């Protein structure tokens, strides 16, 4: 069929072609074990379809142009030919010299799952499998220059649909076009549909509402994850966020964070159903700055979306190898910054493969919001870490990591912070002159200010004990220093100096110590006095004890005896004495543990205030 034909003949030939293609489809379904004969016949029909298009073009060339006239017969024929193209029974695409889609038949739109006209202006090679794009571009150039028809088997993918097809590429000269075009006829050999059913993409209001609901659900889940206590306490914020995105929204997720002014790769997650372990390791070792698109987002601070991937070097090259995106089999890429007040804190890169729907502008908006939330979470975690380190430093300043060995004594202590993030209770054991000193106490109140006052008192006791041999004098001078601060806080404390088996005690409003005797008897020291910081000349109560072998002196904080049970009853010193009476044969470590376990059982595990127990036993 080489000569120009009339419209009636063209319509008859087109109807016959439609009937034969329908028969071929039925044959393919009925005889799947013999695809070769069906394929050969389908390729012959492609040649027939090409000749019909050539004949249609020649009819268009014959139509004279007459300006100012009413619609002529040739113009009506032009409309008819356009309608014939749109309803052509096999997928056909018309490309310009650069491969951009200029015309597309309804059958092609249906096959690729896009609305009519949606793909016009898009680069057709983007739909071709990455491994065959270079070959397709070469065929495209050869057809334009030589005029010979070329065929190529490849895969086309778009909107979650993947088709193995045979392409027939032929040169086409179209009236009214300043340059020659190329017609691509597509023969599907097999199709794989993921997600929506085969047919035009559903753009109904209900579908759009469901898509918006899915995005909102993802944002809500991400927010809950980022506000979780574990995300604040542990360095897992970025990794947990990446795992959620990999499970819900992308095939590959790469997270980069800025540390010490330089971007570092934090994590790389790939498809769990594919053997990608080696590629994961390669991607993890790559410098984020070698990825041009990531570097652009990090410096520019705004996200980008590549709905259909054209440049597979956006994420750089695998060391000594091809582009990373090509190895991944990527089809769509989205990159957003992790927002920060003083600059970008990192970047999130999401990659979808060719069997999934590409990223859209709506996805970009969602991920930019998630990037901002992740930035807030990272800043919150850094603030939490700073405060936590400060709390640890304060806690270390009031509670020793371990107790030294005191000649002739065994010592043990237990500390329970309770609900206080920063402790205000302290205890200590330290050298003084030719003996040893110990102290226990706490500032009234909670938080950092109370902890800092307790730390000052603890350190002041150590310093003053270098020059003073009387613990009462140490407490008086410390009281004067505390009153000079005018901070309105007071401290209950007890300190003692040990020399041989003699202990001299000084109390400033503290609970009396309990003395456990070898026969099971328990008696309490005097205790008392005025807390430090209340008055410049406050009285400190002092007493001296001489301990015998096997006797144990137990000091405790107000948090122990003030603990309450469900009835509101206090633990108290009477219950403490009963428990200590059962601890005659126990070591100091066992005694403090037994007392704390009994208190725990009494109060049902509830702790409102800090608890300190210090035991000293003469060996």
């Amino acid at each position: 069929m080489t000569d120009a034909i009339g419209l009636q003949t063209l319509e008859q030939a087109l109807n016959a072609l439609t009937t034969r293609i329908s028969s071929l489809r039925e044959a393919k379904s009925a005889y799947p074990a013999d695809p070769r004969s069906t394929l050969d016949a389908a390729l012959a029909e492609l040649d027939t379809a090409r000749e019909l298009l050539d004949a249609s073009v020649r009819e268009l060339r014959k139509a004279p142009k007459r300006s100012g006239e009413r619609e002529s017969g040739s113009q009506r024929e032009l409309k008819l030919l356009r309608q014939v193209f749109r309803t052509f029974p096999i997928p056909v695409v018309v490309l310009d010299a650069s491969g951009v889609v200029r015309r597309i038949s309804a059958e092609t739109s249906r096959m690729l799952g896009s609305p009519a006209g949606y793909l016009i202006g898009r680069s057709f090679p983007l739909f071709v499998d990455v491994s065959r794009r270079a070959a397709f571009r070469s065929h495209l150039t050869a057809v334009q220059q030589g005029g010979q028809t070329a065929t190529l088997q490849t895969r086309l993918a778009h909107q979650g649909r993947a088709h193995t097809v045979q392409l027939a590429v032929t040169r086409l000269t179209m009236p009214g076009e300043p340059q020659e075009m190329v017609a691509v006829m597509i023969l599907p050999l097999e199709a794989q549909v993921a997600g929506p059913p085969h047919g035009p993409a559903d753009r109904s209001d209900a579908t759009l509402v469901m898509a918006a609901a899915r995005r909102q659900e993802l944002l809500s889940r991400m927010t809950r994850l980022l506000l979780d206590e574990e995300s604040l306490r542990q360095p897992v914020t970025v990794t947990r966020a990446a795992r959620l995105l990999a499970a819900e929204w992308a095939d590959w997720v790469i997270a980069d964070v800025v540390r010490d002014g330089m971007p570092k790769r934090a994590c790389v997650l790939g498809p769990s159903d594919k053997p990608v372990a080696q590629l994961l390791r390669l991607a993890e070792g790559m410098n984020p700055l070698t990825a041009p698109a990531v570097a652009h987002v990090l410096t520019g601070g705004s996200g980008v979306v590549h709905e259909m991937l054209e440049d597979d070097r956006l994420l750089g090259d695998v060391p000594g190898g091809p582009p990373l995106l090509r190895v991944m089999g990527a089809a769509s890429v989205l990159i957003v910054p992790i927002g920060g007040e003083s600059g970008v804190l990192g970047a999130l890169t999401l990659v979808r493969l060719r069997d999934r729907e590409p990223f859209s502008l709506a996805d970009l908006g969602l991920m930019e919001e998630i990037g901002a939330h992740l930035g807030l979470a990272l800043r919150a975690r850094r603030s939490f870490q700073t405060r936590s380190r400060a709390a640890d430093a304060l806690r270390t300043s009031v509670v020793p990591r371990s107790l030294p060995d005191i000649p002739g004594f065994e010592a043990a202590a237990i500390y329970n912070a309770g609900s206080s993030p920063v402790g205000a209770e302290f205890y200590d054991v330290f050298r003084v002159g030719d003996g040893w000193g110990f102290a226990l106490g706490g500032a009234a109140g909670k938080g950092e200010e109370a902890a800092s006052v307790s730390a000052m008192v603890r350190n002041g006791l150590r310093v003053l004990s270098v020059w003073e041999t009387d613990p009462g004098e140490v407490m008086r001078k410390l009281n004067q220093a505390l009153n000079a601060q005018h901070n309105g806080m007071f401290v209950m404390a007890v300190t003692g100096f040990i020399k041989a088996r003699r202990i001299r005690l000084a109390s400033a409003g503290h609970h009396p110590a309990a003395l456990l005797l070898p026969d099971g008897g328990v008696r309490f020291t005097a205790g008392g006095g005025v807390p430090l910081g209340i008055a410049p000349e406050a009285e400190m109560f002092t007493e001296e004890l001489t301990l015998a072998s096997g006797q144990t002196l137990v000091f405790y904080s107000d948090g122990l005896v003030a603990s309450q049970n469900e009835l509101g009853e206090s633990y108290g010193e009477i219950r403490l004495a009963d428990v200590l009476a059962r601890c005659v044969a126990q070591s100091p470590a066992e005694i403090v543990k037994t007392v704390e376990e009994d208190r725990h059982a009494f109060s049902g595990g509830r702790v409102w205030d800090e608890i300190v127990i210090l035991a000293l036993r003469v060996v």
Side-chain angles (χ1 to χ4, degrees), residues 85-145:
F85 174 80
R86 283 195 294 268
T87 58
F88 214 58
I90 61 173
V92 181
V93 181
V94 177
L95 312 179
D96 64 15
S98 62
V100 173
V101 177
R102 294 303 180 192
R103 300 285 188 274
I104 185 168
S105 68
E107 180 67 14
T108 310
S109 296
R110 187 191 68 82
M111 184 188 75
L112 295 178
S114 295
Y118 176 75
L119 298 178
I120 292 177
R122 308 296 180 110
S123 177
F124 185 79
L126 296 182
F127 307 120
V128 177
D129 188 76
V130 175
S131 63
R132 305 305 304 275
R133 284 183 189 173
F136 176 79
R137 293 184 187 277
S138 297
H139 283 304
L140 189 64
T141 302
V143 167
Q144 290 170 340
Q145 294 177 351

Side-chain angles (χ1 to χ4, degrees), residues 482-537:
L482 191 58
N483 273 275
Q485 298 295 321
H486 299 293
N487 56 17
M489 301 195 72
F490 61 91
V491 178
M492 294 179 292
V494 60
T495 187
F497 287 177
I498 302 173
K499 190 173 183 181
R501 293 185 176 183
R502 191 174 72 252
I503 299 179
R504 185 167 179 80
L505 295 175
S507 174
H510 202 272
H511 289 282
L515 179 61
L516 174 60
L517 304 175
D519 61 359
V522 177
R523 67 181 179 86
F524 289 88
T525 63
V530 179
L532 303 174
I534 290 182
E537 302 299 329

